[in-house]
Amino acid sequence: MRGFSLKYVIKRFISAVFTLWIALTINFLLPRCMGGDPAEYLASQSAMGSLEYAELMKQQFGLDKSIFEQYILYLKELLHGNLGVSYMNFPTPVKDIILEAIPWTLLIVITSILISFALAWFLGTLSALKKGSFFDNAVVGTSFYIQSIPYFWVGMLIVMAFGYYLEWFPMGHAQDAAVTGGFLAQAGDIAYHAFLPVLSMVIVSLAGRMIMMRSNILQVFSEDYIVLAQAKGLKKGKILTKYALRNALLPSFTGLMLSLGQAVGGAIATELVFSYPGIGLTTMNAILSHDYPLIQGCFAIIAVSVVTLNFLADLIYPLIDPRVSLS
Amino acid sequence: MKFWRRALAVTAATAVCLSGCGGSSGSETETEQQSEETQTEESGETTGGVLKFGAQVTDTQLSNLSPFATSGTYTEWYKLVYEQLLYFNEVTGELEPALADSYEWNEDKTELTLQLNEKATWQDGEDFTADDVLYTYNVLKDNPVFDKYALWDKLEEVTADGETVVFKSKDSFVSLPEYISQIYIVPEHIWKNEDAATFVNSEPIGTGPFIWDSYTTGTSVTFNAYENYWKGAPKLDQAVLMMYNSAANCTLALLKGEIDCTTGTIAMSSLPEFTSKENAKLQTYSGLNNFCVMLNHENEQLADPAVRKAMVMAINQEELISKGEYNGVLPTYISWLPDLFGDNVNKEAAESVSYNLEEAQKILEDAGYEKGSDGIYAKDGQKLSFTYYSASGAPAQQMEAGMIQEWLKTLGIEITPKLATWAELSQLAQNGEYDLLQNSIAFPPDPYAALNTTFNSSMTAESGSPTPGTNYFRYRNDEVDSLLQEASSLSDEAQLTEIYHKIQEILAEDCVFLPMYNGSGHIPYYDGTNLTGWTDAEAPIFSTDNLINIRAVE
């Protein structure tokens, strides 16, 4: 068995590295396929369109080298953990920009993912157990309704309702500069500011995950082994925890791992609506201003975390689903 | 790690600042000083207060605080902390003394002598001297990337003798004072220890009325009043920049009264709601870029002046500005130069073409165009049909593009709308790969350069290759070229003004582009709610004159 699983790990690892290389290469090529040259754009904005100036900018950014040279340099620097220097915020290292933005993103995105999955599992299970009841109908009906509302709108409604009119929560930002005092006061302030963004993301993501959980449970309940367990006279609670939940959670677990992997991609709409500092908006602005190194840096982080989380999921999966390790 | 360390540092700094402000000795001397100064003007005036100003600015845009920064950084805060030798007042169009008290030309305008301001001091207590000026201009010389206006192509040397600085240029350089007004002076004693090319200046020290105090990631920047500011201590205690990720959020905070003003960010569609509020005011003044629909003169049909003139006359500029921008901006003139150029603006030429659809159609018909059954004009079997590029992801731009396209269709011109990102738009314009393209063109506060880089035929290129300047129109007019040539050798201002007027007259006649609106300064603010003391007729809200006078309401 041991040899088996080591081989499994190596195989998965090689496939992860290969995927990463492909992703990083596309990551390099894609921004350069966009129409518009960042150096010329800067020259047109600040230096009366001067071509000499655009040329100076290109030299500064290393864009005067051939695309192949740029690619080799990019891979070499990446292996040294160097993400380059942002064009639009020259000469700030991309690494600094990302490190500044990412804790905030992770805070709200991971919090909302965990809350959303926990609630989805709980409500989904409950509504499956009470299939056809008023509760079930209400939950499913509301879910379909919420599912069809765009996030942007939900976010703005929440800002208007709880921030602008009721004034229960701040309309945006991650913290208040005026809050002083100990660590607790700071943490409290940060949580207070994170409440509405997290709430909005939970509301929007909850519905789909809950419906999925509900149908998983219902499907498992129709399996023969559940019927057998019922026939044996096992208690309903024991059937649920020992047989049904374990199996119903499997697809949802993959969803959770994927969501966590995508967490660093940020939540562009949330960051925009709540003026929240984060990596999503940084990425979007980088793309709009053709800041190649920053785009590459942001996508590299996203690619690495998605691939890593998938790799981890592959490793954990055999532990929770014995059928997988044998294949 | 760095992030948390910084967060802690910010907390500590805020704590120190708050306790400092609360401390009795410091604040007492401050009020004493100020009451002494204000007694002469108005008795019983209050001091203190915090100016909260909002802007659409993201965390990344504050990662490089060097005033030499060339690209996407947020620059409005420089106006609080840094100063130039001369200040260009965009409201009056005048050059005013700043770090230089006065300036003087030699006969042929190749030597500009400036007397430095001896009262100015750096915020860390050091004296401001000629060395700081020499250092700043040498940074531009050593780093051509920072020298956006290519000043050192024309400058010979900058020298100092005591408190006198002399700029020597290779030929006469009439607009040098205007360019000097764009360069912020940095302290030599701090910068000399750094490599200016890569220094991000995380603790800025300037000579201006406010000191950069602390930054809270993605939320705000706090500035404290600089008591020894040479024009007099600001009456405010603090100014706080509140950061917003979108114009909509910034506007919402303004409407709610969380901020006292913005540096120009406002969702234009909320302008009517804002101005209906108590004490709400909007300061509008012309700025250094013009929005227009560029016409590619290398397109055979657009080469016909009749077609261009008809198109200009088919556009209802007044409605464009009232519906698209809620009257928060000033028009782009068909003669190009905006009001901030003062006497150099040819007002008559600016108003020589106006909206008149019938007349526009008549011009086309007189030029031999006939309307087909589809309502589109054609000549020799060729329909007037153009592509029209505008910015994607910019709702106001798209709405305005829609209005203009509709007017052109009403005139009888077929339009194929196309969208592109801002960077793509500049590339398309630069390479002439368009028929019609909606974007803005920026220029320095120098009428010669504003006209030369945009309309001289040497600043353009064949479609397909990039232009060396901003003559994206592929506009070529020998008369304009020779007038510009003449202007480049003149040093008499009255003669120059005359030439500029002539050029503007030709531009208006030629209808080079479809005018939209000027990238005007529009500053929404509340006068009398929390703060008072703003003067909007004499200087921009974010000028040192205003910043030191704004104060809390009694």
Side-chain angles (χ1 to χ4, degrees):
Chain A
M1 272 308 276
R2 273 217 179 128
F4 232 121
S5 57
L6 184 65
K7 201 170 156 195
Y8 175 84
V9 171
I10 291 171
K11 218 165 114 187
R12 288 290 159 188
F13 182 73
I14 291 173
S15 123
V17 168
F18 183 72
T19 314
L20 203 58
W21 174 68
I22 298 279
L24 291 175
T25 303
I26 293 176
N27 191 2
F28 171 84
L29 288 174
L30 219 49
R32 283 168 176 77
C33 293
M34 292 194 291
D37 180 289
E40 282 169 21
Y41 173 61
L42 285 175
S44 80
Q45 292 304 298
S46 61
M48 301 178 280
S50 157
L51 277 183
E52 290 90 13
Y53 189 78
E55 209 46 55
L56 281 174
M57 282 297 197
K58 278 184 196 170
Q59 281 169 20
Q60 186 180 54
F61 299 156
L63 285 172
D64 51 341
K65 297 189 176 73
S66 77
I67 195 141
F68 187 69
E69 275 176 286
Q70 288 180 47
Y71 177 64
I72 298 298
L73 206 66
Y74 159 74
L75 283 186
K76 210 169 100 187
E77 292 293 310
L78 210 57
L79 284 176
H80 291 92
N82 192 346
L83 295 173
V85 169
S86 161
Y87 293 168
M88 294 300 148
N89 312 283
F90 198 85
T92 315
V94 166
K95 195 180 70 193
D96 289 0
I97 294 175
I98 291 179
L99 284 182
E100 187 87 34
I102 233 166
W104 298 109
T105 297
L106 291 184
L107 173 73
I108 56 166
V109 179
I110 292 185
T111 309
S112 68
I113 287 175
L114 294 180
I115 294 177
S116 156
F117 269 99
L119 274 179
W121 286 348
F122 179 71
L123 291 176
T125 311
L126 213 60
S127 101
L129 287 178
K130 302 190 172 184
K131 193 180 167 230
S133 70
F134 173 76
F135 174 79
D136 180 41
N137 286 333
V139 161
V140 172
T142 323
S143 297
F144 278 118
Y145 178 69
I146 292 176
Q147 185 78 343
S148 57
I149 308 177
Y151 170 79
F152 213 84
W153 194 65
V154 176
M156 289 200 291
L157 279 190
I158 287 179
V159 170
M160 287 308 284
F162 300 109
Y164 190 78
Y165 289 113
L166 293 173
E167 302 190 18
W168 291 352
F169 291 94
M171 293 198 293
H173 297 131
Q175 53 185 330
D176 193 330
V179 169
T180 51
F183 174 75
L184 272 183
Q186 289 276 311
D189 181 55
I190 288 172
Y192 182 50
H193 280 83
F195 187 86
L196 288 187
V198 169
L199 176 72
S200 67
M201 281 193 284
V202 168
I203 288 180
V204 173
S205 61
L206 183 61
R209 288 168 186 162
M210 197 175 63
I211 288 172
M212 183 175 161
M213 187 62 195
R214 178 179 173 274
S215 54
N216 284 347
I217 294 263
L218 288 178
Q219 202 202 332
V220 171
F221 265 124
S222 66
E223 298 281 345
D224 288 346
Y225 59 86
I226 298 285
V227 181
L228 177 70
Q230 281 167 336
K232 281 203 297 192
L234 283 180
K235 279 186 191 152
K236 210 173 181 187
K238 196 164 188 183
I239 296 174
L240 183 70
T241 50
K242 286 268 171 192
Y243 296 85
L245 266 185
R246 282 182 163 200
N247 288 305
L249 276 176
L250 285 178
S252 222
F253 174 80
T254 317
L256 175 65
M257 292 306 263
L258 280 177
S259 301
L260 287 177
Q262 281 152 3
V264 282
I268 294 175
T270 314
E271 288 163 20
L272 202 60
V273 172
F274 292 95
S275 277
Y276 210 84
I279 198 82
L281 203 71
T282 304
T283 314
M284 191 181 83
N285 285 333
I287 295 170
L288 288 181
S289 54
H290 293 220
D291 192 339
Y292 298 161
L294 192 53
I295 303 176
Q296 285 163 191
C298 292
F299 280 123
I301 296 286
I302 295 172
V304 168
S305 58
V306 169
V307 171
T308 312
L309 262 295
N310 271 341
F311 176 62
L312 280 181
D314 280 343
L315 291 189
I316 297 173
Y317 226 83
L319 299 178
I320 58 172
D321 186 353
R323 286 170 300 180
V324 172
S325 66
L326 292 174
S327 65
Chain B
M1 262 321 274
K2 189 200 152 209
F3 160 77
W4 293 112
R5 232 185 290 142
R6 190 155 168 186
L8 281 175
V10 167
T11 324
T14 326
V16 168
C17 146
L18 284 183
S19 60
C21 296
S24 54
S25 60
S27 58
E28 252 173 26
T29 44
E30 185 185 320
T31 30
E32 260 167 33
Q33 259 184 3
Q34 279 165 351
S35 54
E36 254 172 35
E37 274 156 12
T38 48
Q39 255 170 9
T40 44
E41 298 165 17
E42 255 179 273
S43 53
E45 205 173 68
T46 53
T47 55
V50 176
L51 166 70
K52 281 195 170 182
F53 62 103
Q56 180 180 355
V57 45
T58 58
D59 176 43
T60 342
Q61 285 177 292
L62 286 174
S63 54
N64 180 1
L65 302 181
S66 159
F68 296 113
T70 41
S71 32
T73 47
Y74 177 73
T75 58
E76 289 294 308
W77 67 268
Y78 298 166
K79 294 174 182 170
L80 280 75
V81 177
Y82 286 101
E83 288 180 292
Q84 310 91 332
L85 287 173
L86 298 167
Y87 174 69
F88 184 74
N89 184 330
E90 287 156 303
V91 170
T92 59
E94 304 281 332
L95 277 178
E96 294 170 2
L99 288 177
D101 285 333
S102 60
Y103 67 90
E104 212 178 349
W105 278 114
N106 68 347
E107 184 83 8
D108 60 354
K109 301 208 167 162
T110 51
E111 244 183 70
L112 182 73
T113 309
L114 295 115
Q115 289 302 326
L116 295 190
N117 178 342
E118 289 182 42
K119 287 186 286 179
T121 53
W122 294 105
Q123 291 162 352
D124 60 359
E126 297 274 329
D127 279 337
F128 161 72
T129 67
D131 288 341
D132 300 314
V133 179
L134 296 188
Y135 176 80
T136 302
Y137 279 87
N138 279 323
V139 167
L140 297 187
K141 189 181 186 178
D142 299 339
N143 300 276
V145 168
F146 292 160
D147 191 8
K148 284 177 269 198
Y149 301 120
L151 295 184
W152 280 99
D153 282 359
K154 293 182 192 144
L155 287 178
E156 178 102 41
E157 59 171 357
V158 183
T159 53
D161 177 18
E163 296 303 306
T164 308
V165 174
V166 180
F167 285 75
K168 256 189 211 152
S169 53
K170 294 163 188 161
D171 300 302
S172 72
F173 192 178
V174 184
S175 45
L176 178 61
E178 276 83 9
Y179 285 105
I180 283 179
S181 76
Q182 301 298 298
I183 311 292
Y184 289 98
I185 306 296
V186 299
E188 190 226 7
H189 65 277
I190 293 173
W191 283 68
K192 70 177 176 197
N193 306 320
E194 312 285 342
D195 177 9
T198 53
F199 184 41
V200 293
N201 194 28
S202 48
E203 288 163 21
I205 295 287
T207 55
F210 284 90
I211 305 172
W212 176 289
D213 180 63
S214 55
Y215 172 55
T216 310
T217 309
T219 301
S220 60
V221 184
T222 306
F223 300 88
N224 291 332
Y226 176 40
E227 288 173 33
N228 298 323
Y229 181 55
W230 62 275
K231 277 189 186 177
K235 289 167 182 153
L236 295 163
D237 290 333
Q238 280 187 331
V240 180
L241 162 66
M242 299 295 297
M243 301 160 66
Y244 300 91
N245 285 347
S246 70
N249 287 338
C250 186
T251 309
L252 206 57
L254 180 72
L255 292 175
K256 202 181 164 193
E258 281 185 358
I259 49 178
D260 305 301
C261 68
T262 77
T263 55
T265 309
I266 181 166
M268 284 303 196
S269 52
S270 298
L271 208 47
E273 193 187 341
F274 169 71
T275 44
S276 72
K277 300 239 168 197
E278 204 189 340
N279 295 329
K281 287 189 182 171
L282 181 77
Q283 183 189 38
T284 319
Y285 52 88
S286 56
L288 292 171
N289 68 319
N290 278 336
F291 276 89
C292 63
V293 181
M294 301 171 196
L295 304 174
N296 188 340
H297 292 230
E298 282 186 1
N299 176 301
E300 249 173 67
Q301 293 173 314
L302 290 172
D304 184 348
V307 173
R308 297 198 304 264
K309 182 152 195 184
M311 286 167 86
V312 171
M313 290 178 73
I315 284 166
N316 190 341
Q317 200 183 12
E318 212 172 292
E319 199 175 315
L320 179 79
I321 289 176
S322 70
K323 286 198 174 152
E325 298 287 322
Y326 297 84
N327 286 325
V329 294
L330 304 164
T332 292
Y333 296 138
I334 186 74
S335 52
W336 197 248
L337 294 188
D339 289 337
L340 61 84
F341 288 110
D343 293 343
N344 289 316
V345 180
N346 185 339
K347 278 283 188 183
E348 204 180 313
E351 285 153 14
S352 61
V353 191
S354 55
Y355 170 65
N356 188 335
L357 185 63
E358 273 172 41
E359 185 65 26
Q361 287 177 328
K362 196 169 164 290
I363 289 174
L364 283 182
E365 277 155 24
D366 288 349
Y369 290 88
E370 271 173 46
K371 218 172 205 177
S373 56
D374 52 358
I376 304 297
Y377 279 104
K379 188 167 152 180
D380 308 328
Q382 252 203 316
K383 276 202 276 185
L384 285 179
S385 169
F386 307 112
T387 57
Y388 187 117
Y389 279 99
S390 61
S392 60
Q397 289 293 311
Q398 279 167 32
M399 188 183 93
E400 286 154 14
M403 290 169 80
I404 295 173
Q405 289 163 4
E406 208 45 51
W407 284 321
L408 293 176
K409 277 181 203 160
T410 314
L411 170 66
I413 288 177
E414 193 175 64
I415 296 291
T416 314
K418 294 198 167 187
L419 292 174
T421 62
W422 290 110
E424 260 178 301
L425 279 184
S426 352
Q427 195 178 40
L428 291 166
Q430 197 143 30
N431 290 307
E433 287 155 350
Y434 72 95
D435 299 334
L436 274 65
L437 187 146
Q438 179 183 321
N439 201 348
S440 70
I441 295 181
F443 40 82
D446 157 23
Y448 175 76
L451 292 169
N452 187 57
T453 49
T454 316
F455 300 101
N456 196 327
S457 67
S458 68
M459 290 294 173
T460 199
E462 302 273 317
S463 291
S465 23
T467 58
T470 49
N471 186 348
Y472 302 136
F473 321 116
R474 271 72 198 165
Y475 173 67
R476 295 173 183 90
N477 183 317
D478 295 341
E479 212 182 333
V480 170
D481 287 353
S482 60
L483 284 169
L484 284 166
Q485 175 68 35
E486 196 184 333
S488 69
S489 61
L490 283 177
S491 55
D492 181 80
E493 281 177 28
Q495 281 177 311
L496 281 170
T497 302
E498 200 181 316
I499 291 184
Y500 297 150
H501 277 231
K502 261 191 222 162
I503 296 175
Q504 291 172 74
E505 206 179 303
I506 299 170
L507 294 180
E509 243 164 64
D510 279 354
C511 292
V512 186
F513 52 88
L514 311 184
M516 292 176 69
Y517 47 83
N518 175 263
S520 324
H522 41 258
I523 313 288
Y525 66 104
Y526 292 105
D527 186 4
T529 307
N530 298 318
L531 303 172
T532 181
W534 326 68
T535 49
D536 79 342
E538 287 140 44
I541 294 297
F542 285 90
S543 63
T544 51
D545 280 347
N546 256 310
L547 287 169
I548 60 170
N549 265 312
I550 299 171
R551 56 185 182 266
V553 172
E554 253 174 88

